[in-house]
Amino acid sequence: NKYPKPDNFANELIKNKPDKKREPIDAKAKQWRMLQVTDLHYDLYYQEGAAATCNKPMCCRDPPAPGVSTPLAGKYGYVGDCDINEALFRTFLDAAEESKPDFIIWTGDNAPHDVWKGSQEHVYNSTRILRDMFNEKFQHKIPIYPVLGNHEKYPNDAYGKDEHELLQGMADLYKEYLDDAAYEEFRLHGYYTMKHPNSNLRIVALNCMECDTWNFNLISDQSGSKVMFKWLID
């Protein structure tokens, strides 16, 4: 009984919602084509021909051990215990371009699953490489709206009360996608809102690490979550 039920929170959030029923959708009205890109987990060290099965959380990096029979990593990746490589991502970008999206929502988790040897700098490098390939393909022709994933923090999920360095680093990587107000909000809190150009469409991007089930820091401190939801309601 200590915590409010989600239904109660939702009802409080929409208590001032107008009673008027939604008008019929105008078939001639503007329609948006959105592409959501998530959980890329880009592996900078993927090697074609490497062992695709191994005794680590992820494979496709090291050659097969002598005498060990294992599938091998392919040119465009391997469906199994491996993260994606550059060839697969570029193929994906070709398909994404053909779909002609009006904008992209990039919901993070950019770094590979090499938790035994990762670092925060490793996360930044993965994000930077993916960002540059996005820009190369779309040439800044369409907006990209970035959102933090739980793997943007190293170690994963361990998002604490004072994450100024992390938020500054990620905000700087995404700065070209954000207006000044959104950049400042992202830099301080990891969430932001922006109006899509020449429209009434508003993008609201939350910091998912403030509600991450595996973020055990939330057991002792939920002050950031409270601030974020107060901001969302306002």
Side-chain angles (χ1 to χ4, degrees):
N1 297 328
K2 184 178 178 181
Y3 303 102
K5 294 181 178 180
D7 287 350
N8 294 342
F9 178 83
N11 289 332
E12 177 67 19
L13 187 63
I14 63 173
K15 66 181 180 181
N16 296 321
K17 181 180 178 181
D19 293 330
K20 184 179 179 181
K21 293 183 179 180
R22 180 189 292 270
E23 297 289 344
I25 294 176
D26 182 359
K28 297 181 180 179
K30 171 69 176 177
Q31 296 186 25
W32 303 105
R33 180 179 291 270
M34 178 195 78
L35 175 66
Q36 181 184 353
V37 182
T38 191
D39 288 80
L40 290 169
H41 293 294
Y42 177 72
D43 187 2
L44 290 71
Y45 304 108
Y46 181 100
Q47 291 189 43
E48 183 179 355
T53 59
C54 63
N55 60 356
K56 295 179 180 178
M58 58 172 288
C59 309
C60 291
R61 285 186 169 185
D62 303 312
V68 175
S69 178
T70 174
L72 301 180
K75 178 179 179 180
Y76 296 102
Y78 178 82
V79 180
D81 297 328
C82 303
D83 286 331
I84 72 167
N85 63 350
E86 180 178 345
L88 179 61
F89 183 62
R90 289 192 179 279
T91 301
F92 161 76
L93 287 176
D94 290 340
E97 183 182 34
E98 290 179 5
S99 73
K100 294 181 171 52
D102 294 301
F103 59 90
I104 294 172
I105 298 210
W106 180 8
T107 47
D109 279 13
N110 303 322
H113 289 94
D114 56 353
V115 294
W116 69 94
K117 63 178 298 183
S119 66
Q120 192 60 55
E121 190 61 35
H122 197 31
V123 176
Y124 295 151
N125 286 339
S126 300
T127 302
R128 185 179 299 108
I129 292 170
L130 291 168
R131 179 204 63 191
D132 291 347
M133 286 193 283
F134 268 124
N135 291 347
E136 177 186 330
K137 172 57 67 176
F138 291 100
Q139 300 176 337
H140 297 87
K141 292 179 180 178
I142 63 172
I144 297 178
Y145 300 107
V147 183
L148 289 176
N150 65 308
H151 280 252
E152 268 63 87
K153 167 68 178 178
Y154 185 85
N156 306 151
D157 307 292
Y159 185 86
K161 184 175 182 180
D162 299 311
E163 296 289 356
H164 303 299
E165 183 177 348
L166 166 67
L167 295 177
Q168 182 72 63
M170 294 304 297
D172 287 344
L173 284 167
Y174 292 143
K175 187 173 183 178
E176 62 194 283
Y177 301 141
L178 307 172
D179 62 27
D180 291 344
Y183 167 77
E184 190 65 17
E185 200 78 63
F186 194 106
R187 183 181 71 83
L188 293 175
H189 304 293
Y191 51 77
Y192 66 91
T193 182
M194 280 178 62
K195 290 287 287 293
H196 186 64
N198 304 313
S199 76
N200 288 323
L201 176 64
R202 176 169 292 280
I203 304 296
V204 180
L206 299 182
N207 181 348
C208 81
M209 286 186 275
E210 295 287 9
C211 306
D212 180 3
T213 305
W214 292 101
N215 182 9
F216 296 155
N217 290 316
L218 295 177
I219 295 174
S220 60
D221 182 15
Q222 299 181 12
S223 58
S225 305
K226 293 176 181 177
V227 170
M228 181 173 71
F229 280 106
K230 173 66 165 55
W231 170 84
L232 175 63
I233 292 170
D234 290 343

